Amino acid sequence: MSEKTPITLKINGRDHKIAVEPRRTLADAIREDCGQTGTHIGCEHGVCGACTVIVNGEPVRSCLMFAAQADGKAIRTVEGLAKGNELHPMQRAFMDHHGLQCGFCTPGFLMLAVGVLEREPQISDDDLLDVLSSNLCRCTGYQNIIKAVRAAAAEMRGAS
Amino acid sequence: MASRIIGQSRKRLEDPPLLTGQGRFASDISFPDQLAMRVVRSGYAHGRIVSVDTSEACALPGVFAVWTADDVADLPPIDVRLTNIKGLAPYRQYVLARDKVRYVGEPVAVVFASDAYTAEDAADLVVIDIEELPAVLDAAGETGDFAPGLPTEVIVIEKGYGDADAAFKTAQHVVSLTLSVGRHSGVPLETRGAIARYDAKHDMLEMYGAAKVPHWNRDQIAIMLGRERKSINLYEGHTGGGFGVRGELYPEDVIACYAALKLGRPVKWIEDRRENLVACNHSREQTHRIRAAIDAEGHILAVEDEFFHDQGAYVRTHGATVADLAAAMLPGPYRIPAYRAVGHIRLTNKTPGGTYRAPGRYESTFARERLLDAIAAKAGISPVEARRRNLLQKADMPYDLRVDTLGTKVVYDSGDYGGLVRKAIDATGWQTLRDAVATRRKAGETVGVGLAMFVEKSGLGPYDDVRIELSPSGAIEVITGAASIGQGVETVIAQICAETLGAAFDTIRVTHGQTDRIERGLGAFASRVTVMTGEATRRAAEALRARLLAIAAPLMQTDATQLTVSDGWIARTDGSGPSMAIADVARSIDATHGASSEASFESSHMVYPYGVHVALVQVDRETGGVTVERYLVAYDIGRAVNPMLVEGQITGGIAQGIGGALLEEFLYDERGEPLSVTFADYLMPTAHEIPPMDIVISEDAPSPLNPLGLKGSGEAGVNAAGAAIAAAIDDALGMPGLITRLPVTPQRLKAALAAR
Ligand code: FES
Ligand code: FES
């Protein structure tokens, strides 16, 4: 065991002052040290994308990043998507298009899709499919996830 | 008239917490002062344990305890839940290996520490000395010994009827095939987890992270720990996928419970993915030697199948289920005058096996449908015609197959198989599809179409109970002993309750998977919940409705037969006079508790939905790569409570079926070392590998065994996917019978092509 260093994780606009070992992953720190359990861990080796969060505007796999690397950066997780009781268009689209079953992969897909669409609102359908194929879902067969993200993309474009 | 809710694609009650990060999955549960548990697993496929040295691990700061088999010597092996077949008991698994290890990943020791990182560090310090023994890795090859006097062939299952020998003697042709399906598993995206704690004040042991069969697991843990069953409660939270594997009783669950008792602190165990791929049940791996006796026109006279089921290292909770179902369901939708199946359940030095979505049927459908394709080739007719000639007819229903499985007689309750084939063919635009394939082939493309059929089973009894409570505020709770593994149980049960009772859909909450809320329950497996729990719900709702109307009638100065209830309001059927809220009636019954009703549904027969899969594939002759371009499933579900959810079940199943057909496989080296231990080696389909899917939901054959006509849909999408894709690849290459093994990986297909 090595020494713990103090860091600040800014999650959804709130500061969490915590102390972590250098090896602690961002995913574990978000979940265990900051109590934000909406971010899920499906593999811990960077393949499934369930742990996707947005760090300084970029979707990242929080199981592949050390918590210390995110010190002071702006982190967004699924808990921050809705505004009060009003769901984000992406969340609503997942509900409308039955884009989730067990819901375990869902936070990762939501953050991936939101992160990419905010950065690149005009992304083509093909590129969007490429992006979505970097996360795994074992329940839905993806068809409804793709439908949901396309519908939300159209709405987000209209709104911006 | 009550408003129609059954049959509508209602949005799910389950979704809001899952979309907003408020889910409660196993790893989201924590208790103050909890210990993190880490399992130390065997690195050898087969060997004698010489010693386990825990001293260094124990000395690590933060480590609370390290256990080996001696510390759990009181605990019996984990029992078999399904299939009451004698002879399985000696092959059950102890929670920690005693003198031998029998697969890589077998729990040998367990560490309890202040946090998960420390527990993992300590686990690395446990030194296990093992004297390696030769591993048995091929269930269809030579058998070995599990223990002295116990061969690795656990049991042989035999089923059949009619005089197959005579048919084979006189047949015009005999078609024989050897076929195999690789080792797959459900691989839910959430790994397993168990959080146990002991409440000394109430002498109550609690476990969170339960799924699928909480009541059975509660009872079993009670027996294993020698406790009263009433002194243990299991709680199901959110479950990140089930697919057969999640929620069975595993060694880790029992150890966590035992440790919470013995160590006096809460214990939290969360599996990592590498563990999940070597320790959670595997499934599927079978080799079939199948043959058919046919006449000159391709009519089946008899089918005979000898198969070898690779059960892995131990018999687990499912007992002989997978092989039993494979043998019982192999005949499918066809008229087979004589049938014989001989299934060898054999142990190997691999991860133990259990069920995975459509257990035994993904495998036997592959065998049977490949056989039908071979019959077509032999008789010189098209695959579709070969099927038409052999299908059971509507007039044959109900059809007694003359075999049994899971303690029930297989009697197809209803079906119009030929009608569904027509629907599937119409929906694909068969002729246009064939023409397009022909044109593309002329242009040099390697494309083909495959079709496969199946009969599913669902709604396994023997019972389910439901209690409905209507509170004085008008809120309704439906309490069931079912479980949810993410398939939308709450929504479906709420729909049935809302329509039958005449309540508003959004006033209903559904409680499941909590052993302290209902006396007994069978959980969620075998696509049983919609049928069994659904019908129990309908009965309880009907009883409550009748009671409310009887109480309301005098208050509304009319006869109960003149009243109807809809959206939570009781009114006269002729629309005259005032209406009354059901909440008011509940209050008049009991101002504090409101009204409630209970009902059970018992059934000794399963129901039998059926389906057709059609796949369009393109093959790259250079690389051996196969792309599924389009997929169609036509499925007769009797009655769909929520078509959107049925479609979701089917599309999800198709994806798993495509995975099993083309990508997924647990491979081992010659010493039994697993090679598929990350998501980079065990390849599951991504959005890229899944084609556009068309789902045709048919309701032509409602089940006569329950009033709503319900059948289940959980396993429809996966069942025939291996068979349909294999047929499509054969068709693309113009080589009937080429595909004999799943998954069809690029390497295998290239090798098969090179061998031709
Ligand atoms: S948990 Fe991070 S990619 Fe799977
Ligand atoms: S909804 Fe279960 S893994 Fe995606």
PDB file of all heavy atoms in Angstrom, chain A residues 23 25 28 31 42 45 91 96 101 130 133 138-140 142-143, chain B residues 12 19 27-28 117 121 185-186 273 648 652 664 679 685 688 693:
ATOM      1  N   ARG A  23      -2.863   4.421  -7.449  1.00  0.00           N
ATOM      2  CA  ARG A  23      -3.410   3.407  -8.344  1.00  0.00           C
ATOM      3  C   ARG A  23      -4.936   3.397  -8.386  1.00  0.00           C
ATOM      4  O   ARG A  23      -5.521   2.624  -9.120  1.00  0.00           O
ATOM      5  CB  ARG A  23      -2.919   2.033  -7.924  1.00  0.00           C
ATOM      6  CG  ARG A  23      -3.381   1.645  -6.516  1.00  0.00           C
ATOM      7  CD  ARG A  23      -2.980   0.224  -6.188  1.00  0.00           C
ATOM      8  NE  ARG A  23      -3.310  -0.124  -4.811  1.00  0.00           N
ATOM      9  CZ  ARG A  23      -3.233  -1.350  -4.343  1.00  0.00           C
ATOM     10  NH1 ARG A  23      -2.823  -2.334  -5.128  1.00  0.00           N
ATOM     11  NH2 ARG A  23      -3.541  -1.605  -3.090  1.00  0.00           N
ATOM     12  N   THR A  25      -8.529   3.877  -9.442  1.00  0.00           N
ATOM     13  CA  THR A  25      -9.095   4.288 -10.728  1.00  0.00           C
ATOM     14  C   THR A  25     -10.130   5.377 -10.500  1.00  0.00           C
ATOM     15  O   THR A  25     -10.732   5.488  -9.430  1.00  0.00           O
ATOM     16  CB  THR A  25      -9.791   3.128 -11.465  1.00  0.00           C
ATOM     17  OG1 THR A  25     -10.919   2.709 -10.696  1.00  0.00           O
ATOM     18  CG2 THR A  25      -8.845   1.958 -11.684  1.00  0.00           C
ATOM     19  N   ASP A  28     -13.536   3.853  -9.551  1.00  0.00           N
ATOM     20  CA  ASP A  28     -13.689   3.505  -8.135  1.00  0.00           C
ATOM     21  C   ASP A  28     -13.839   4.755  -7.274  1.00  0.00           C
ATOM     22  O   ASP A  28     -14.617   4.775  -6.320  1.00  0.00           O
ATOM     23  CB  ASP A  28     -12.479   2.695  -7.647  1.00  0.00           C
ATOM     24  CG  ASP A  28     -12.554   1.240  -8.094  1.00  0.00           C
ATOM     25  OD1 ASP A  28     -13.661   0.799  -8.480  1.00  0.00           O
ATOM     26  OD2 ASP A  28     -11.519   0.550  -8.064  1.00  0.00           O
ATOM     27  N   ARG A  31     -17.332   6.178  -7.625  1.00  0.00           N
ATOM     28  CA  ARG A  31     -18.351   5.327  -6.993  1.00  0.00           C
ATOM     29  C   ARG A  31     -18.170   5.226  -5.475  1.00  0.00           C
ATOM     30  O   ARG A  31     -19.108   5.402  -4.722  1.00  0.00           O
ATOM     31  CB  ARG A  31     -18.291   3.907  -7.595  1.00  0.00           C
ATOM     32  CG  ARG A  31     -18.756   3.836  -9.054  1.00  0.00           C
ATOM     33  CD  ARG A  31     -18.626   2.412  -9.577  1.00  0.00           C
ATOM     34  NE  ARG A  31     -19.195   1.462  -8.626  1.00  0.00           N
ATOM     35  CZ  ARG A  31     -20.498   1.202  -8.533  1.00  0.00           C
ATOM     36  NH1 ARG A  31     -21.343   1.777  -9.359  1.00  0.00           N
ATOM     37  NH2 ARG A  31     -20.930   0.361  -7.631  1.00  0.00           N
ATOM     38  N   GLY A  42     -18.140  -2.664 -15.747  1.00  0.00           N
ATOM     39  CA  GLY A  42     -18.515  -3.939 -16.360  1.00  0.00           C
ATOM     40  C   GLY A  42     -17.347  -4.823 -16.685  1.00  0.00           C
ATOM     41  O   GLY A  42     -17.517  -6.021 -16.906  1.00  0.00           O
ATOM     42  N   HIS A  45     -11.361  -3.436 -17.847  1.00  0.00           N
ATOM     43  CA  HIS A  45     -10.231  -3.458 -18.762  1.00  0.00           C
ATOM     44  C   HIS A  45     -10.494  -2.700 -20.059  1.00  0.00           C
ATOM     45  O   HIS A  45      -9.920  -3.002 -21.085  1.00  0.00           O
ATOM     46  CB  HIS A  45      -9.667  -4.876 -18.979  1.00  0.00           C
ATOM     47  CG  HIS A  45     -10.699  -5.937 -19.286  1.00  0.00           C
ATOM     48  ND1 HIS A  45     -11.018  -6.953 -18.402  1.00  0.00           N
ATOM     49  CD2 HIS A  45     -11.460  -6.148 -20.369  1.00  0.00           C
ATOM     50  CE1 HIS A  45     -11.935  -7.737 -18.938  1.00  0.00           C
ATOM     51  NE2 HIS A  45     -12.225  -7.281 -20.126  1.00  0.00           N
ATOM     52  N   GLN A  91     -31.968  10.827 -22.313  1.00  0.00           N
ATOM     53  CA  GLN A  91     -32.622   9.914 -21.363  1.00  0.00           C
ATOM     54  C   GLN A  91     -34.045   9.622 -21.812  1.00  0.00           C
ATOM     55  O   GLN A  91     -34.510   8.482 -21.794  1.00  0.00           O
ATOM     56  CB  GLN A  91     -32.644  10.541 -19.957  1.00  0.00           C
ATOM     57  CG  GLN A  91     -31.251  10.640 -19.333  1.00  0.00           C
ATOM     58  CD  GLN A  91     -31.255  11.482 -18.069  1.00  0.00           C
ATOM     59  OE1 GLN A  91     -31.791  12.593 -18.042  1.00  0.00           O
ATOM     60  NE2 GLN A  91     -30.651  10.958 -17.002  1.00  0.00           N
ATOM     61  N   ASP A  96     -38.355   6.298 -24.504  1.00  0.00           N
ATOM     62  CA  ASP A  96     -39.349   6.213 -25.579  1.00  0.00           C
ATOM     63  C   ASP A  96     -39.070   5.066 -26.539  1.00  0.00           C
ATOM     64  O   ASP A  96     -39.988   4.458 -27.068  1.00  0.00           O
ATOM     65  CB  ASP A  96     -39.376   7.524 -26.386  1.00  0.00           C
ATOM     66  CG  ASP A  96     -39.928   8.680 -25.568  1.00  0.00           C
ATOM     67  OD1 ASP A  96     -40.531   8.417 -24.505  1.00  0.00           O
ATOM     68  OD2 ASP A  96     -39.745   9.842 -25.988  1.00  0.00           O
ATOM     69  N   GLN A 101     -32.806  -2.390 -21.105  1.00  0.00           N
ATOM     70  CA  GLN A 101     -33.513  -3.469 -20.425  1.00  0.00           C
ATOM     71  C   GLN A 101     -33.025  -3.516 -18.984  1.00  0.00           C
ATOM     72  O   GLN A 101     -33.624  -2.923 -18.098  1.00  0.00           O
ATOM     73  CB  GLN A 101     -33.366  -4.785 -21.183  1.00  0.00           C
ATOM     74  CG  GLN A 101     -34.174  -4.757 -22.490  1.00  0.00           C
ATOM     75  CD  GLN A 101     -34.133  -6.052 -23.260  1.00  0.00           C
ATOM     76  OE1 GLN A 101     -33.955  -7.135 -22.718  1.00  0.00           O
ATOM     77  NE2 GLN A 101     -34.297  -5.952 -24.580  1.00  0.00           N
ATOM     78  N   ASP A 130     -20.315   3.892 -35.476  1.00  0.00           N
ATOM     79  CA  ASP A 130     -18.946   3.552 -35.067  1.00  0.00           C
ATOM     80  C   ASP A 130     -18.719   3.874 -33.592  1.00  0.00           C
ATOM     81  O   ASP A 130     -18.161   3.075 -32.850  1.00  0.00           O
ATOM     82  CB  ASP A 130     -17.924   4.347 -35.891  1.00  0.00           C
ATOM     83  CG  ASP A 130     -17.660   3.696 -37.236  1.00  0.00           C
ATOM     84  OD1 ASP A 130     -18.079   2.528 -37.409  1.00  0.00           O
ATOM     85  OD2 ASP A 130     -17.051   4.355 -38.096  1.00  0.00           O
ATOM     86  N   SER A 133     -20.566   1.549 -31.265  1.00  0.00           N
ATOM     87  CA  SER A 133     -20.072   0.172 -31.238  1.00  0.00           C
ATOM     88  C   SER A 133     -18.852   0.033 -30.330  1.00  0.00           C
ATOM     89  O   SER A 133     -18.308  -1.053 -30.194  1.00  0.00           O
ATOM     90  CB  SER A 133     -19.778  -0.336 -32.645  1.00  0.00           C
ATOM     91  OG  SER A 133     -18.693   0.363 -33.164  1.00  0.00           O
ATOM     92  N   ARG A 138     -25.578  -6.184 -23.394  1.00  0.00           N
ATOM     93  CA  ARG A 138     -25.853  -7.611 -23.549  1.00  0.00           C
ATOM     94  C   ARG A 138     -27.351  -7.892 -23.670  1.00  0.00           C
ATOM     95  O   ARG A 138     -27.734  -9.022 -23.906  1.00  0.00           O
ATOM     96  CB  ARG A 138     -25.263  -8.351 -22.339  1.00  0.00           C
ATOM     97  CG  ARG A 138     -25.192  -9.859 -22.451  1.00  0.00           C
ATOM     98  CD  ARG A 138     -24.419 -10.341 -23.659  1.00  0.00           C
ATOM     99  NE  ARG A 138     -24.013 -11.748 -23.520  1.00  0.00           N
ATOM    100  CZ  ARG A 138     -23.575 -12.494 -24.520  1.00  0.00           C
ATOM    101  NH1 ARG A 138     -23.484 -11.986 -25.742  1.00  0.00           N
ATOM    102  NH2 ARG A 138     -23.215 -13.754 -24.321  1.00  0.00           N
ATOM    103  N   CYS A 139     -28.187  -6.870 -23.452  1.00  0.00           N
ATOM    104  CA  CYS A 139     -29.633  -7.133 -23.385  1.00  0.00           C
ATOM    105  C   CYS A 139     -30.400  -6.747 -24.632  1.00  0.00           C
ATOM    106  O   CYS A 139     -31.325  -7.439 -25.031  1.00  0.00           O
ATOM    107  CB  CYS A 139     -30.258  -6.359 -22.229  1.00  0.00           C
ATOM    108  SG  CYS A 139     -29.635  -6.786 -20.615  1.00  0.00           S
ATOM    109  N   THR A 140     -30.092  -5.603 -25.223  1.00  0.00           N
ATOM    110  CA  THR A 140     -31.034  -5.006 -26.186  1.00  0.00           C
ATOM    111  C   THR A 140     -30.794  -5.396 -27.631  1.00  0.00           C
ATOM    112  O   THR A 140     -31.678  -5.210 -28.461  1.00  0.00           O
ATOM    113  CB  THR A 140     -30.939  -3.468 -26.146  1.00  0.00           C
ATOM    114  OG1 THR A 140     -29.613  -3.095 -26.561  1.00  0.00           O
ATOM    115  CG2 THR A 140     -31.206  -2.930 -24.755  1.00  0.00           C
ATOM    116  N   TYR A 142     -28.913  -3.692 -29.383  1.00  0.00           N
ATOM    117  CA  TYR A 142     -28.474  -2.376 -29.885  1.00  0.00           C
ATOM    118  C   TYR A 142     -29.482  -1.624 -30.752  1.00  0.00           C
ATOM    119  O   TYR A 142     -29.428  -0.399 -30.826  1.00  0.00           O
ATOM    120  CB  TYR A 142     -27.150  -2.477 -30.670  1.00  0.00           C
ATOM    121  CG  TYR A 142     -26.022  -3.089 -29.880  1.00  0.00           C
ATOM    122  CD1 TYR A 142     -25.621  -4.403 -30.096  1.00  0.00           C
ATOM    123  CD2 TYR A 142     -25.381  -2.363 -28.887  1.00  0.00           C
ATOM    124  CE1 TYR A 142     -24.594  -4.980 -29.353  1.00  0.00           C
ATOM    125  CE2 TYR A 142     -24.348  -2.923 -28.137  1.00  0.00           C
ATOM    126  CZ  TYR A 142     -23.963  -4.231 -28.387  1.00  0.00           C
ATOM    127  OH  TYR A 142     -22.951  -4.783 -27.661  1.00  0.00           O
ATOM    128  N   GLN A 143     -30.372  -2.317 -31.446  1.00  0.00           N
ATOM    129  CA  GLN A 143     -31.228  -1.635 -32.412  1.00  0.00           C
ATOM    130  C   GLN A 143     -31.932  -0.433 -31.779  1.00  0.00           C
ATOM    131  O   GLN A 143     -31.955   0.650 -32.354  1.00  0.00           O
ATOM    132  CB  GLN A 143     -32.248  -2.622 -32.972  1.00  0.00           C
ATOM    133  CG  GLN A 143     -33.071  -2.077 -34.118  1.00  0.00           C
ATOM    134  CD  GLN A 143     -33.551  -3.198 -35.044  1.00  0.00           C
ATOM    135  OE1 GLN A 143     -32.804  -3.748 -35.851  1.00  0.00           O
ATOM    136  NE2 GLN A 143     -34.806  -3.553 -34.895  1.00  0.00           N
TER     137      GLN A 143
ATOM    138  N   ARG B  12     -41.823   1.620 -19.883  1.00  0.00           N
ATOM    139  CA  ARG B  12     -41.547   0.803 -18.702  1.00  0.00           C
ATOM    140  C   ARG B  12     -41.537   1.606 -17.400  1.00  0.00           C
ATOM    141  O   ARG B  12     -40.952   2.680 -17.317  1.00  0.00           O
ATOM    142  CB  ARG B  12     -40.188   0.118 -18.851  1.00  0.00           C
ATOM    143  CG  ARG B  12     -40.097  -0.797 -20.047  1.00  0.00           C
ATOM    144  CD  ARG B  12     -38.980  -1.790 -19.878  1.00  0.00           C
ATOM    145  NE  ARG B  12     -37.785  -1.221 -19.295  1.00  0.00           N
ATOM    146  CZ  ARG B  12     -36.783  -1.955 -18.834  1.00  0.00           C
ATOM    147  NH1 ARG B  12     -36.846  -3.269 -18.873  1.00  0.00           N
ATOM    148  NH2 ARG B  12     -35.714  -1.368 -18.324  1.00  0.00           N
ATOM    149  N   LEU B  19     -32.286   5.354 -15.705  1.00  0.00           N
ATOM    150  CA  LEU B  19     -31.794   6.388 -16.619  1.00  0.00           C
ATOM    151  C   LEU B  19     -31.099   7.524 -15.893  1.00  0.00           C
ATOM    152  O   LEU B  19     -30.386   8.309 -16.507  1.00  0.00           O
ATOM    153  CB  LEU B  19     -32.970   6.968 -17.416  1.00  0.00           C
ATOM    154  CG  LEU B  19     -33.513   6.074 -18.528  1.00  0.00           C
ATOM    155  CD1 LEU B  19     -34.865   6.588 -18.999  1.00  0.00           C
ATOM    156  CD2 LEU B  19     -32.523   6.018 -19.687  1.00  0.00           C
ATOM    157  N   SER B  27     -23.203  -3.934  -6.621  1.00  0.00           N
ATOM    158  CA  SER B  27     -22.027  -3.211  -6.148  1.00  0.00           C
ATOM    159  C   SER B  27     -22.380  -1.827  -5.604  1.00  0.00           C
ATOM    160  O   SER B  27     -21.519  -1.134  -5.058  1.00  0.00           O
ATOM    161  CB  SER B  27     -20.988  -3.094  -7.265  1.00  0.00           C
ATOM    162  OG  SER B  27     -21.535  -2.379  -8.338  1.00  0.00           O
ATOM    163  N   ASP B  28     -23.639  -1.415  -5.770  1.00  0.00           N
ATOM    164  CA  ASP B  28     -24.046  -0.108  -5.226  1.00  0.00           C
ATOM    165  C   ASP B  28     -24.441  -0.205  -3.753  1.00  0.00           C
ATOM    166  O   ASP B  28     -24.721   0.815  -3.124  1.00  0.00           O
ATOM    167  CB  ASP B  28     -25.242   0.445  -6.017  1.00  0.00           C
ATOM    168  CG  ASP B  28     -24.937   0.564  -7.501  1.00  0.00           C
ATOM    169  OD1 ASP B  28     -23.739   0.631  -7.851  1.00  0.00           O
ATOM    170  OD2 ASP B  28     -25.881   0.576  -8.304  1.00  0.00           O
ATOM    171  N   TYR B 117      -8.986  -3.188  -2.722  1.00  0.00           N
ATOM    172  CA  TYR B 117      -7.604  -3.173  -3.224  1.00  0.00           C
ATOM    173  C   TYR B 117      -6.706  -4.022  -2.322  1.00  0.00           C
ATOM    174  O   TYR B 117      -5.881  -4.798  -2.791  1.00  0.00           O
ATOM    175  CB  TYR B 117      -7.085  -1.734  -3.319  1.00  0.00           C
ATOM    176  CG  TYR B 117      -7.606  -0.927  -4.501  1.00  0.00           C
ATOM    177  CD1 TYR B 117      -8.956  -0.603  -4.601  1.00  0.00           C
ATOM    178  CD2 TYR B 117      -6.742  -0.478  -5.497  1.00  0.00           C
ATOM    179  CE1 TYR B 117      -9.432   0.147  -5.671  1.00  0.00           C
ATOM    180  CE2 TYR B 117      -7.212   0.278  -6.577  1.00  0.00           C
ATOM    181  CZ  TYR B 117      -8.553   0.588  -6.651  1.00  0.00           C
ATOM    182  OH  TYR B 117      -9.022   1.335  -7.707  1.00  0.00           O
ATOM    183  N   ASP B 121      -4.568  -7.441  -3.112  1.00  0.00           N
ATOM    184  CA  ASP B 121      -3.135  -7.586  -2.816  1.00  0.00           C
ATOM    185  C   ASP B 121      -2.892  -8.843  -1.991  1.00  0.00           C
ATOM    186  O   ASP B 121      -1.958  -9.608  -2.250  1.00  0.00           O
ATOM    187  CB  ASP B 121      -2.630  -6.379  -2.000  1.00  0.00           C
ATOM    188  CG  ASP B 121      -2.579  -5.108  -2.838  1.00  0.00           C
ATOM    189  OD1 ASP B 121      -2.591  -5.215  -4.077  1.00  0.00           O
ATOM    190  OD2 ASP B 121      -2.535  -4.021  -2.230  1.00  0.00           O
ATOM    191  N   SER B 185     -21.540 -18.479 -22.758  1.00  0.00           N
ATOM    192  CA  SER B 185     -22.302 -18.216 -21.545  1.00  0.00           C
ATOM    193  C   SER B 185     -23.056 -16.902 -21.666  1.00  0.00           C
ATOM    194  O   SER B 185     -22.845 -16.130 -22.597  1.00  0.00           O
ATOM    195  CB  SER B 185     -21.396 -18.197 -20.320  1.00  0.00           C
ATOM    196  OG  SER B 185     -22.206 -18.096 -19.159  1.00  0.00           O
ATOM    197  N   GLY B 186     -23.927 -16.682 -20.696  1.00  0.00           N
ATOM    198  CA  GLY B 186     -24.788 -15.500 -20.720  1.00  0.00           C
ATOM    199  C   GLY B 186     -24.015 -14.204 -20.613  1.00  0.00           C
ATOM    200  O   GLY B 186     -24.358 -13.205 -21.222  1.00  0.00           O
ATOM    201  N   ARG B 273     -14.334  -9.065 -13.879  1.00  0.00           N
ATOM    202  CA  ARG B 273     -14.733  -9.689 -15.142  1.00  0.00           C
ATOM    203  C   ARG B 273     -13.943 -10.951 -15.449  1.00  0.00           C
ATOM    204  O   ARG B 273     -14.478 -11.928 -15.952  1.00  0.00           O
ATOM    205  CB  ARG B 273     -14.609  -8.679 -16.286  1.00  0.00           C
ATOM    206  CG  ARG B 273     -15.053  -9.220 -17.618  1.00  0.00           C
ATOM    207  CD  ARG B 273     -16.481  -9.756 -17.605  1.00  0.00           C
ATOM    208  NE  ARG B 273     -17.469  -8.738 -17.354  1.00  0.00           N
ATOM    209  CZ  ARG B 273     -18.777  -8.987 -17.227  1.00  0.00           C
ATOM    210  NH1 ARG B 273     -19.240 -10.231 -17.310  1.00  0.00           N
ATOM    211  NH2 ARG B 273     -19.615  -8.008 -16.971  1.00  0.00           N
ATOM    212  N   GLY B 648     -38.180  -6.304 -27.750  1.00  0.00           N
ATOM    213  CA  GLY B 648     -36.895  -6.072 -27.084  1.00  0.00           C
ATOM    214  C   GLY B 648     -36.256  -7.388 -26.653  1.00  0.00           C
ATOM    215  O   GLY B 648     -35.049  -7.584 -26.792  1.00  0.00           O
ATOM    216  N   GLY B 652     -32.744  -8.640 -28.434  1.00  0.00           N
ATOM    217  CA  GLY B 652     -31.610  -8.934 -27.554  1.00  0.00           C
ATOM    218  C   GLY B 652     -31.156 -10.381 -27.701  1.00  0.00           C
ATOM    219  O   GLY B 652     -29.961 -10.676 -27.694  1.00  0.00           O
ATOM    220  N   GLU B 664     -18.586 -15.915 -30.167  1.00  0.00           N
ATOM    221  CA  GLU B 664     -18.320 -16.225 -28.771  1.00  0.00           C
ATOM    222  C   GLU B 664     -17.855 -17.657 -28.568  1.00  0.00           C
ATOM    223  O   GLU B 664     -18.465 -18.586 -29.075  1.00  0.00           O
ATOM    224  CB  GLU B 664     -19.603 -16.005 -27.944  1.00  0.00           C
ATOM    225  CG  GLU B 664     -20.085 -14.581 -27.975  1.00  0.00           C
ATOM    226  CD  GLU B 664     -21.382 -14.375 -27.196  1.00  0.00           C
ATOM    227  OE1 GLU B 664     -21.611 -15.088 -26.210  1.00  0.00           O
ATOM    228  OE2 GLU B 664     -22.155 -13.502 -27.603  1.00  0.00           O
ATOM    229  N   PHE B 679     -12.823  -9.401 -22.166  1.00  0.00           N
ATOM    230  CA  PHE B 679     -13.731  -9.091 -23.274  1.00  0.00           C
ATOM    231  C   PHE B 679     -12.969  -8.919 -24.589  1.00  0.00           C
ATOM    232  O   PHE B 679     -13.576  -8.776 -25.640  1.00  0.00           O
ATOM    233  CB  PHE B 679     -14.522  -7.816 -22.967  1.00  0.00           C
ATOM    234  CG  PHE B 679     -15.703  -8.041 -22.073  1.00  0.00           C
ATOM    235  CD1 PHE B 679     -16.317  -6.966 -21.448  1.00  0.00           C
ATOM    236  CD2 PHE B 679     -16.222  -9.314 -21.861  1.00  0.00           C
ATOM    237  CE1 PHE B 679     -17.423  -7.150 -20.639  1.00  0.00           C
ATOM    238  CE2 PHE B 679     -17.318  -9.510 -21.049  1.00  0.00           C
ATOM    239  CZ  PHE B 679     -17.929  -8.425 -20.428  1.00  0.00           C
ATOM    240  N   PRO B 685     -21.022  -9.513 -29.549  1.00  0.00           N
ATOM    241  CA  PRO B 685     -21.358  -8.581 -30.629  1.00  0.00           C
ATOM    242  C   PRO B 685     -21.440  -7.140 -30.126  1.00  0.00           C
ATOM    243  O   PRO B 685     -21.896  -6.892 -29.007  1.00  0.00           O
ATOM    244  CB  PRO B 685     -22.748  -9.037 -31.083  1.00  0.00           C
ATOM    245  CG  PRO B 685     -22.958 -10.382 -30.513  1.00  0.00           C
ATOM    246  CD  PRO B 685     -22.070 -10.501 -29.317  1.00  0.00           C
ATOM    247  N   HIS B 688     -21.921  -2.918 -34.276  1.00  0.00           N
ATOM    248  CA  HIS B 688     -21.459  -3.156 -35.636  1.00  0.00           C
ATOM    249  C   HIS B 688     -21.879  -4.508 -36.201  1.00  0.00           C
ATOM    250  O   HIS B 688     -22.118  -4.641 -37.392  1.00  0.00           O
ATOM    251  CB  HIS B 688     -19.924  -3.111 -35.669  1.00  0.00           C
ATOM    252  CG  HIS B 688     -19.412  -1.839 -36.259  1.00  0.00           C
ATOM    253  ND1 HIS B 688     -19.904  -1.312 -37.412  1.00  0.00           N
ATOM    254  CD2 HIS B 688     -18.452  -0.990 -35.836  1.00  0.00           C
ATOM    255  CE1 HIS B 688     -19.277  -0.186 -37.676  1.00  0.00           C
ATOM    256  NE2 HIS B 688     -18.391   0.046 -36.723  1.00  0.00           N
ATOM    257  N   MET B 693     -33.007  -5.681 -37.753  1.00  0.00           N
ATOM    258  CA  MET B 693     -33.792  -6.870 -37.391  1.00  0.00           C
ATOM    259  C   MET B 693     -35.270  -6.570 -37.559  1.00  0.00           C
ATOM    260  O   MET B 693     -35.734  -5.510 -37.157  1.00  0.00           O
ATOM    261  CB  MET B 693     -33.510  -7.244 -35.930  1.00  0.00           C
ATOM    262  CG  MET B 693     -32.058  -7.610 -35.678  1.00  0.00           C
ATOM    263  SD  MET B 693     -31.689  -7.897 -33.916  1.00  0.00           S
ATOM    264  CE  MET B 693     -31.314  -6.249 -33.348  1.00  0.00           C
TER     265      MET B 693
END
